[in-house]
Amino acid sequence: MDFAVQAKNLVKVYNGKVKALDGVDLTVEASGTFALLGPNGAGKTTLMRILTTQLKPSTGEAYVFGLNVTRDGGKVRKLVSYVPQEMSVWTDISGYENLLIYAKIFGIPRLEREKMIDEALDIMGLNNVKGELVRTYSGGMVRRLEIACAMLVKPKIMFLDEPTIGLDPGARKIVWEKLNLFKKEYGVTIFFNTHYMDEADLYADDIAIIDQGKVVARGTSEELKHSVGGEIISFTLENFQSESWLLEEIRRLKLVRGVFMENKDLNILVDDAESSLPCITDFLKSKALSVNRISITKPTLDDVFLKYTGGRLEEKGRISDVRQVRYMIRRG
Amino acid sequence: MMATFKNMLAMIELELRRLGHDRTEIYSRAVQPILWIVIYGNVMSSIRAIPTSGIPYIDFITPGVIIQSTTFISIFYGLTIVWERDSGILKKLLVAPVSRYSIVVGRAMASGVRAIFQALIILPVAVIVGVRFLPNPMYLILAFVVIFFASGGFAAASILVASFMKTRERFMGIGQAITMPLFFASNALYPVQLMPPILREFSIVNPLSYVVDAVRGLLITGNFSNLLGDLIAIAVFDMVMFILASISFRRIIE
Ligand SMILES: Nc1ncnc2c1ncn2[C@@H]1O[C@H](COP(=O)(O)OP(=O)(O)OP(=O)(O)O)[C@@H](O)[C@H]1O
Ligand SMILES: [Mg+2]
């Protein structure tokens, strides 16, 4: 079984100066949802444009379902579909007309055309606005229309470049609900770029973090967070005097990796909070300690990013966000 | 080949649908050529300053003015492909299972739709102000075919030029800067024989002259002695521009 995507030491240098990709090695399994997470200028779009045969890598090789993107570009284009970061529909015709024109460009046979367009409109929840000019659509509707266009070809893999950029949380949620609906129906592999941590966290089965043209971390959301360190359960206890023998006894419990006090709260470091909690509370009960409050702190992907690059993803992302939103508005 | 043709039809349909929603651009762009014909044409006709071998001057320039305005439309249309580079449309087309050549040719030929609409608006006005067209519908249809194909060539030429431009702002003026010299250094407003020798030589390589000559023969004079040569010149121009524009397309993508 071929990987959906495989990149080997990919390097891309623009105009002999800008090194957008600096030796990317990556494999992506078929039929999952994969997120390429990284800050502004990390090289996400560049990688996606190489994988979709728009750009040639400077050195290195890339494969989509075993096909070389440089040598077998024509064959690759038959398997993939792509939603660019920027707006990619015509705003001066209706949503339905956009799908119709794209269906014709994609060479979908006349007999299947109407059915596929209907289906795409249906899944993306655009049936009631299909006759209206795209100019009157909201940002979320435009994004869903673009995804509908990408669905027409029934791709094996769908590349989405920042699918929810500039959308409000409600619209983002709808876009992902519809995407998952589509995915369930057709079993397509989804490869998306994002600089929203929570988006990668919530929707991706598998994540790669990219920074300055390099993949710096790789794994599922859980794996990545574990790699940073454990989770912290903190207890606020009634009438609690910390006594070293007690802390020592907790430390000896299985699943517990560390114990420390902070502002009279008992903090316990574990690998996985949910599964260790029962055992710890049982222990506290056995010592007749009553718990007022429990809180759990888990590492975020931002902590992962911090660990591997020394910079925070959120801060880097924010400026680009403002820029992108403006960009979308100007285009619309 | 078949795919290229289908892609071209889809692009043409796109333009028809766009025009179906909003035609104001076509109307507003028709104002200038109409003024040329109605005012300039009439004035120059009455003073008879330019010898036009027997036909009224206003009749002489009408094909020229129509072609200059359709040419401007198609050159401008070609430039908009760079707008599409800034948006995601071009990127999406590049990932579609069609050849790059067919994207370029399809886009270029779709400009012919706008050109034809433009001509269709100017034509009746010319009739009203007294321009006498040859009363043969076959000639009219052939003239439109000529305009259609010539537009494709000019649009491809402007894709070629646009591929060298880095920003959108820069080539807004370029459209004017290309069309006006083409217009004045052609046989659109006066017979080539009246031009200074340098311009006369330029008009030999000026594709606009061939288009004007063909359309003028078909619509006004009925003189077809150069028609075959004109058609060949336009076909060659189209082929060369399609090939060059397809090659330059790489630059637009990066
Ligand atoms: N066509 C281009 N020509 C020159 N440099 C480019 C080009 N496209 C991107 N770059 C540069 O390459 C680097 C990576 O850009 P890329 O667009 O791949 O990043 P990204 O991760 O998609 O960022 P963003 O969040 O802004 O979309 C940046 O420094 C960018 O300025
Ligand atoms: Mg990007």
Side-chain angles (χ1 to χ4, degrees):
Chain A
M1 182 62 203
D2 283 322
F3 287 111
V5 168
Q6 190 169 20
K8 289 181 184 162
N9 196 22
L10 272 190
V11 175
K12 176 70 187 179
V13 182
Y14 286 110
N15 314 322
K17 300 194 286 277
V18 187
K19 203 167 203 178
L21 295 182
D22 190 7
V24 168
D25 285 296
L26 186 69
T27 50
V28 176
E29 302 271 348
S31 66
T33 299
F34 172 83
L36 185 64
L37 174 67
N40 177 229
K44 305 182 293 293
T45 298
T46 304
L47 178 56
M48 191 172 277
R49 293 191 71 199
I50 289 173
L51 293 175
T52 52
T53 77
Q54 300 170 65
L55 300 177
K56 289 196 168 53
S58 304
T59 60
E61 288 181 345
Y63 300 85
V64 171
F65 287 105
L67 296 167
N68 185 298
V69 295
T70 327
R71 283 197 301 275
D72 306 314
K75 285 184 196 150
V76 171
R77 284 194 288 272
K78 289 201 170 75
L79 300 182
V80 307
S81 67
Y82 165 63
V83 178
Q85 189 166 348
E86 306 88 354
M87 178 127 117
S88 63
V89 283
W90 288 285
T91 54
D92 50 1
I93 54 177
S94 72
Y96 171 80
E97 286 172 319
N98 266 286
L99 290 170
L100 187 66
I101 299 289
Y102 272 119
K104 289 183 178 180
I105 292 170
F106 294 154
I108 295 169
R110 180 202 309 267
L111 292 172
E112 294 166 37
R113 219 179 276 148
E114 290 300 321
K115 195 175 128 266
M116 290 172 103
I117 293 176
D118 275 349
E119 236 171 56
L121 284 167
D122 224 35
I123 294 180
M124 286 295 136
L126 291 168
N127 246 320
N128 51 338
V129 290
K130 66 177 182 185
E132 273 155 54
L133 291 187
V134 174
R135 199 184 297 137
T136 64
Y137 284 19
S138 69
M141 283 151 74
V142 168
R143 243 6 190 173
R144 278 184 279 143
L145 178 62
E146 289 171 333
I147 295 167
C149 285
M151 284 171 47
L152 289 175
V153 285
K154 302 251 168 75
K156 276 184 84 168
I157 180 166
M158 197 182 236
F159 289 95
L160 306 166
D161 200 347
E162 313 240 4
T164 64
I165 187 126
L167 303 188
D168 63 56
R172 283 170 70 186
K173 189 151 170 276
I174 296 175
V175 165
W176 275 105
E177 274 167 11
K178 306 289 181 192
L179 261 175
N180 284 332
L181 202 66
F182 166 63
K183 189 168 172 332
K184 211 151 88 194
E185 204 131 314
Y186 295 101
V188 59
T189 309
I190 292 181
F191 182 124
F192 73 101
N193 287 350
T194 186
H195 63 256
Y196 296 126
M197 283 186 302
D198 54 335
E199 185 163 70
D201 206 354
L202 276 172
Y203 303 111
D205 308 320
D206 193 5
I207 300 170
I209 297 183
I210 185 172
D211 188 43
Q212 298 182 357
K214 282 199 177 83
V215 173
V216 293
R218 185 58 215 279
T220 65
S221 174
E222 289 311 308
E223 287 164 358
L224 287 172
K225 288 174 193 166
H226 279 175
S227 76
V228 176
E231 304 176 354
I232 294 165
I233 313 175
S234 51
F235 297 87
T236 311
L237 300 167
E238 218 165 81
N239 306 325
F240 179 62
Q241 298 299 321
S242 92
E243 290 165 64
S244 52
W245 65 267
L246 183 67
L247 297 188
E248 201 46 48
E249 224 165 297
I250 297 173
R251 197 167 284 132
R252 273 204 300 271
L253 289 173
K254 84 177 189 321
L255 300 176
V256 171
R257 281 176 34 183
V259 183
F260 58 98
M261 297 297 299
E262 194 179 290
N263 304 330
K264 294 198 174 164
D265 282 353
L266 174 67
N267 287 321
I268 302 177
L269 184 70
V270 295
D271 275 326
D272 180 58
E274 280 82 0
S275 61
S276 355
L277 196 52
C279 150
I280 296 169
T281 44
D282 282 353
F283 173 81
L284 293 174
K285 244 181 233 149
S286 76
K287 299 289 171 213
L289 290 165
S290 71
V291 177
N292 281 345
R293 192 172 165 276
I294 302 175
S295 70
I296 295 173
T297 313
K298 296 180 174 228
T300 63
L301 287 176
D302 202 28
D303 299 318
V304 178
F305 190 75
L306 181 66
K307 171 173 171 187
Y308 290 104
T309 70
R312 294 211 86 93
L313 183 63
E314 276 199 317
E315 280 156 19
K316 283 200 185 180
R318 204 160 290 146
I319 307 158
S320 88
D321 222 20
V322 173
R323 207 170 52 95
Q324 302 290 2
V325 172
R326 283 214 194 104
Y327 189 71
M328 291 291 286
I329 292 168
R330 196 148 46 87
R331 291 288 161 253
Chain B
M1 192 60 210
M2 200 55 203
T4 305
F5 183 68
K6 278 191 176 155
N7 189 37
M8 194 173 95
L9 288 185
M11 294 297 182
I12 287 172
E13 181 179 345
L14 167 66
E15 282 319 307
L16 286 171
R17 288 181 181 273
R18 281 173 145 172
L19 287 172
H21 289 292
D22 183 8
R23 282 177 297 277
T24 45
E25 191 200 334
I26 291 281
Y27 290 132
S28 60
R29 282 190 194 283
V31 172
Q32 202 190 9
I34 285 173
L35 290 179
W36 271 99
I37 295 172
V38 173
I39 298 175
Y40 179 78
N42 260 320
V43 170
M44 294 302 279
S45 257
S46 58
I47 58 177
R48 292 172 202 280
I50 299 173
T52 48
S53 47
I55 55 170
Y57 184 69
I58 187 169
D59 293 20
F60 180 85
I61 65 159
T62 295
V65 172
I66 290 177
I67 299 305
Q68 101 85 22
S69 75
T70 58
T71 301
F72 185 74
I73 289 253
S74 46
I75 284 182
F76 189 79
Y77 186 86
L79 294 180
T80 59
I81 206 165
V82 182
W83 182 90
E84 290 187 349
R85 168 181 68 180
D86 289 350
S87 85
I89 291 174
L90 210 54
K91 292 177 187 156
K92 185 145 80 183
L93 288 178
L94 284 173
V95 182
V98 287
S99 73
R100 282 168 195 193
Y101 177 77
S102 82
I103 294 172
V104 173
V105 176
R107 293 305 275 161
M109 290 311 292
S111 75
V113 173
R114 283 182 181 256
I116 298 245
F117 265 80
Q118 179 82 96
L120 280 174
I121 295 167
I122 306 173
L123 221 58
V125 179
V127 172
I128 292 169
V129 298
V131 175
R132 279 182 312 271
F133 292 94
L134 293 174
N136 185 334
M138 280 316 292
Y139 294 168
L140 186 68
I141 290 170
L142 190 52
F144 275 96
V145 172
V146 169
I147 291 175
F148 184 75
F149 279 95
S151 292
F154 284 115
S158 84
I159 290 173
L160 178 63
V161 174
S163 73
F164 291 100
M165 304 291 136
K166 279 278 172 276
T167 64
R168 178 141 60 121
E169 288 67 27
R170 219 178 272 178
F171 49 71
M172 279 315 178
I174 296 258
Q176 292 275 4
I178 303 173
T179 3
M180 282 312 172
L182 282 180
F183 182 45
F184 288 111
S186 77
N187 56 354
L189 295 178
Y190 21 77
V192 183
Q193 297 83 327
L194 294 186
M195 292 186 200
I198 299 175
L199 280 185
R200 211 180 304 163
E201 262 158 42
F202 177 72
S203 88
I204 293 174
V205 292
N206 183 351
L208 201 73
S209 288
Y210 295 93
V211 187
V212 172
D213 191 60
V215 173
R216 184 177 285 142
L218 287 164
L219 291 184
I220 307 286
T221 64
N223 174 358
F224 300 151
S225 56
N226 298 329
L227 187 60
L228 188 64
D230 293 337
L231 295 183
I232 291 172
I234 294 166
V236 170
F237 170 65
D238 275 11
M239 290 319 283
V240 171
M241 285 305 147
F242 288 162
I243 290 167
L244 291 181
S246 302
I247 294 169
S248 74
F249 202 54
R250 271 195 63 84
R251 243 193 318 269
I252 298 188
I253 310 161
E254 282 241 343

